[in-house]
């Protein structure tokens, strides 16, 4: 019988691992249930079961830890996030490249890979790049790339580089990161039409925690911010928006390669026909929803940056 993932069991694992019981809200639960319902229709290879379950438990555990930390320091939720920069676009159009370039400005504050993965306690400005958690993650990364050098072809990251909002919006189980875990059309369709308010409210809470002792003007990136610009602007009305552009054939081909690797990793199988249809559909959704936002908020509300 195929592995069946049970939400209550994974939640209990996260609670036991952290010694914490309380979530700030249950807004994550609908997305978690739909995601696991889709996953349970597939056959997850034995080698991927622990990896997939571990990712879910880690997201839940970090939400528990963030909730507890903000309960200890509630004044952080009153601190503003002013004029954050959001980089987005059709996937594989250079959002990482631009985000890393912007992060070279010392006046900017980017969420770094290590602090997203291990956010409590949040770092200080002095320890952003030399916290023991960062150094341990750098060593783990070195070992991973030595074992699987092909990973570097698709996604160039580092413990001390800026990373995507997707990895903490995942705590609300409303991101395309979860959809990349396999052939999950029900989760995808739900995600593309659901109200994303709770995900962006949680996004803001998480940043307010990270900036507790390491403030700055936030530099943020996630291609799929493109899908929810009206909700983003509801939570961050003074946000500065940047749309990255690249040849669509090149970008979509790269997108297919990235998701192919993800499907192979988490489901052990790649349905190329589905993947081709899904990547084209998602790329189209990204582009059309940005154009819809431009029609709604004005042409000049979004800055264009070309890959070349």
């Amino acid at each position: 019988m195929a592995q069946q993932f049970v939400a209550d069991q994974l939640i209990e694992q996260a609670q036991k691992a952290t010694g914490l019981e309380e979530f700030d809200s249950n807004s994550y639960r609908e997305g978690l249930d739909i995601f696991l319902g889709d996953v349970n229709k597939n056959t997850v290879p034995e080698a991927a079961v622990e990896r997939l379950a571990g990712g879910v438990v880690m997201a839940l555990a970090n939400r528990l830890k963030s909730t507890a930390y903000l309960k200890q320091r509630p004044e952080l939720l009153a601190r503003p996030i002013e004029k954050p920069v959001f980089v987005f676009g059709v996937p594989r159009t250079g959002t990482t490249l631009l985000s890393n370039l912007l992060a070279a400005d010392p006046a900017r504050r980017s969420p770094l890979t290590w602090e997203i993965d291990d956010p409590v306690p949040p770092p200080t400005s002095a320890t952003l790049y030399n916290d023991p958690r960062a150094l341990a993650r750098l060593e783990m990364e070195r070992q991973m790339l030595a074992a699987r050098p092909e990973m570097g072809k698709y996604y160039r990251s580092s413990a001390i580089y800026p990373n995507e909002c997707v990895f903490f919006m995942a705590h609300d189980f409303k991101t395309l990161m979860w959809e990349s875990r396999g052939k999950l059309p029900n989760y995808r369709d739900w995600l593309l039409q659901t109200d994303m308010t709770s995900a962006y409210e949680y996004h803001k809470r998480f940043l307010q925690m990270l900036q507790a002792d390491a403030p700055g003007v936030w530099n943020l990136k996630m291609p799929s911010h493109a899908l929810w610009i009206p909700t983003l602007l509801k939570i961050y009305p003074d946000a500065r928006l940047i749309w990255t552009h690249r040849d669509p054939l090149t970008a979509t081909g790269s997108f297919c390669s990235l998701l192919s690797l993800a499907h192979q990793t988490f489901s052990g199988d790649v349905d190329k026909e589905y993947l081709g249809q899904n990547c084209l559909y998602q790329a189209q959704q990204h582009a059309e929803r940005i154009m819809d936002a431009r029609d709604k908020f004005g042409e000049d509300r979004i800055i264009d940056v070309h890959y070349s």
Side-chain angles (χ1 to χ4, degrees):
M1 182 179 175
Q3 169 74 37
Q4 294 291 295
F5 297 92
V6 180
D8 286 340
Q9 292 178 0
L10 296 172
I11 292 167
E12 185 178 352
Q13 285 182 39
Q15 290 171 328
K16 285 184 176 179
T18 59
L20 301 167
E21 295 286 331
E22 184 181 351
F23 292 97
D24 57 293
S25 80
N26 66 351
S27 64
Y28 69 90
R29 186 60 195 253
E30 183 181 11
L32 175 61
D33 287 339
I34 294 171
F35 167 67
L36 293 179
D38 243 11
V39 168
N40 285 335
K41 293 176 183 176
N42 300 333
T43 299
V44 179
E46 187 176 347
V49 168
E50 185 175 346
R51 187 181 301 120
L52 197 150
V56 172
V57 171
M58 179 178 174
L60 292 167
N62 276 336
R63 182 155 185 161
L64 286 164
K65 288 188 275 189
S66 299
T67 299
Y69 191 83
L70 286 168
K71 194 171 183 179
Q72 293 171 3
R73 298 182 66 181
E75 73 280 2
L76 297 178
L77 297 174
R79 294 186 186 177
I81 294 176
E82 297 178 342
K83 296 183 178 179
V85 175
F86 286 85
V87 178
F88 53 78
V90 174
R92 312 304 290 167
T93 53
T95 55
T96 299
L97 180 63
L98 180 58
S99 179
N100 288 348
L101 181 63
L102 290 171
D105 179 354
R108 297 187 186 277
R109 170 75 166 94
S110 301
L112 306 180
T113 300
W114 76 265
E115 63 174 332
I116 293 172
D117 287 349
D118 195 357
V120 176
T124 66
S125 297
T127 62
L128 268 173
Y129 298 98
N130 59 15
D131 186 286
R133 292 169 290 176
L135 299 179
R137 178 64 186 260
L138 282 169
E139 176 58 23
M140 186 187 310
E141 182 182 286
R142 185 193 65 77
Q143 294 177 13
M144 179 193 73
L145 288 174
R148 297 191 64 193
E150 73 276 10
M151 289 289 290
K153 177 180 177 183
Y154 300 105
Y155 193 80
R156 296 174 178 87
S157 186
S158 168
I160 55 173
Y161 283 4
N163 215 330
E164 294 198 19
C165 304
V166 67
F167 295 110
F168 51 97
M169 292 181 78
H171 303 173
D172 202 48
F173 286 85
K174 296 184 183 75
T175 76
L176 284 170
M177 183 195 84
W178 295 119
E179 188 270 343
S180 72
R181 286 348 188 199
K183 187 176 179 180
L184 309 175
N186 294 317
Y187 179 79
R188 179 201 66 191
D189 292 346
W190 169 80
L191 181 64
L192 291 177
Q193 58 79 38
T194 197
D195 181 358
M196 290 290 288
T197 300
S198 71
Y200 279 96
E201 288 175 340
Y202 182 81
H203 181 281
K204 184 176 180 179
R205 287 172 59 89
F206 194 81
L207 293 183
Q208 286 171 318
M209 181 181 70
L210 290 189
Q211 71 180 15
D213 302 303
V217 177
W218 282 103
N219 166 51
L220 305 158
K221 84 100 172 175
M222 180 176 78
S224 53
H225 283 309
L227 299 169
W228 303 296
I229 294 171
T231 307
L232 185 160
L233 289 175
K234 180 169 68 174
I235 305 302
Y236 298 106
D238 62 350
R240 290 171 286 178
L241 309 177
I242 305 177
W243 181 6
T244 56
H245 299 266
R246 187 185 187 189
D247 177 87
L249 291 177
T250 303
T252 305
S254 179
F255 188 29
C256 287
S257 294
L258 182 67
L259 282 192
S260 177
L261 181 64
H263 284 203
Q264 187 68 45
T265 300
F266 287 97
S267 67
D269 181 52
V270 179
D271 183 333
K272 292 183 179 178
E273 183 177 354
Y274 173 79
L275 197 67
Q277 294 170 348
N278 186 36
C279 288
L280 286 170
Y281 174 66
Q282 288 193 31
Q284 180 182 352
Q285 287 290 308
H286 281 70
E288 288 185 349
R289 293 194 187 194
I290 301 172
M291 291 187 284
D292 289 345
R294 268 207 155 128
D295 290 342
K296 181 175 182 177
F297 298 108
E299 190 75 17
D300 295 339
R301 192 67 180 80
I302 300 172
I303 299 164
D304 298 283
V305 174
H306 293 263
Y307 185 89
S308 59

